[in-house]
Amino acid sequence: MSDAKLIDGKAIAAGLRKRVGAGVGQLVAKRGVKPGLATILVGADPASQVYVRSKGKIAAELGMTNFDHRLPAETTEADLLALIARLNGDALVHGILVQLPLPRHIDTAHVLLAVDPAKDVDGFHPFNVGRLGSSAPGAPLDFPVPCTPLGVSMLLHETLGPITGCHAVVIGRSNLVGRPVAQLLLRADCTVTIAHSRTRDLPALSRQADILVVAIGRREFVRGDWIKPGAAVIDVGTNRIPDDNGKNRLVGDVAFAEALPVAGHLTPVPGGVGPMTVACLMFNTWQAARRAVGLAVAAAD
Ligand code: NAP
């Protein structure tokens, strides 16, 4: 059997950003509305600074306004909630992103609950979580959906087309990745199994999957003989390991070299799911701006 086709997340994300940029241009030209993304970073975590800077830069490249809020690590929860309330009421802001993790003295659940669900471009507000959980197959996704899961769903649709009736096994049940991925695949008419650290005989279960999504956070945990020949394998994991030059390199949760000759389609790490996350944030912000002026949402899955 020939090697798996690699799913080029960089190219698919570039296509999505182009689509968003064009859509933003139309919104500005026809409605005079420029989508606005407010990013909030509390503290000076270096990785978070890189993420927030990159999100702001890409938003600007796509014609959106980025309102960049940097707050000191000692910011109180009350001050952060007051900023969010102000942004909720600001008509120029269509999306609010609070970079996680927050300092330990701030209750993340309080903060996520404070964001207006219409501006919740991360899709973490319980109202939006509930909407995803109760949305029927085929119904429009007219609410924000978490970015990485939306990216996974887009990669699968772009690569496989309709996935009706496929058995999808999702390893990982976090609110950030595993659960929303499973909800999106259920909406796409897959038969979905969610696995986690207490699942029995994970290799045998994984071997039943037509679509295997892995979001665990353990390097090369899924081996080649866990994969059904021809399956589509989406590796969400990002694990940093030291390379020969004393720097860090990224590896996924799937043993890539072992998976390559077995899978039908496979995402590389890096260059698979990662680039889709920020592109989907831009998509969500564009969609939030469209909804704010009463326009229908664009197809997302
Ligand atoms: P998380 O919150 O730590 O959740 C990990 C999940 O994996 C949990 O449900 C856990 O099960 C499960 N798990 C852990 N060990 C397992 C085992 N031995 N067997 C089966 N399941 C096991 O992590 P996350 O936020 O979902 O992230 C998962 C990975 O995706 C990480 O590597 C993260 O860096 C990466 N990620 C990448 C992107 C991107 O843009 N590319 C975005 C987000 C996350 P229990 O629930 O039973 O503990």
Side-chain angles (χ1 to χ4, degrees), residues 11-161:
I12 296 173
L16 178 60
R17 286 198 305 271
K18 199 170 165 198
R19 179 176 165 216
V20 172
V24 168
Q26 280 191 1
L27 204 52
V28 174
K30 292 190 179 158
R31 295 296 192 113
V33 173
K34 191 171 182 180
L37 173 65
T39 45
I40 304 175
L41 175 60
V42 185
D45 175 65
S48 295
Q49 284 178 332
V50 172
Y51 295 143
V52 167
R53 197 179 314 125
S54 145
K55 288 166 186 172
K57 185 168 163 269
I58 294 173
E61 281 167 10
L62 299 184
M64 307 189 200
T65 308
N66 177 221
F67 302 96
D68 183 15
H69 295 272
R70 306 283 173 114
L71 307 179
E74 57 278 12
T75 301
T76 63
E77 185 175 307
D79 283 347
L80 177 57
L81 293 177
L83 171 61
I84 291 172
R86 187 161 65 68
L87 296 172
N88 283 343
D90 185 340
L92 297 178
V93 173
H94 301 96
I96 300 171
L97 178 133
V98 183
Q99 185 65 41
L100 302 180
L102 288 165
R104 287 172 61 173
H105 65 276
I106 296 178
D107 186 329
T108 303
H110 287 172
V111 172
L112 298 182
L113 204 55
V115 175
D116 178 347
K119 299 188 179 189
D120 167 40
V121 282
D122 254 342
F124 293 155
H125 191 289
F127 182 69
N128 289 323
V129 173
R131 291 181 84 184
L132 177 60
S134 57
S135 72
L141 272 179
D142 52 1
F143 50 88
V145 172
C147 301
T148 301
L150 184 59
V152 169
S153 161
M154 286 183 177
L155 288 179
L156 284 168
H157 285 291
E158 181 97 11
T159 307
L160 303 179

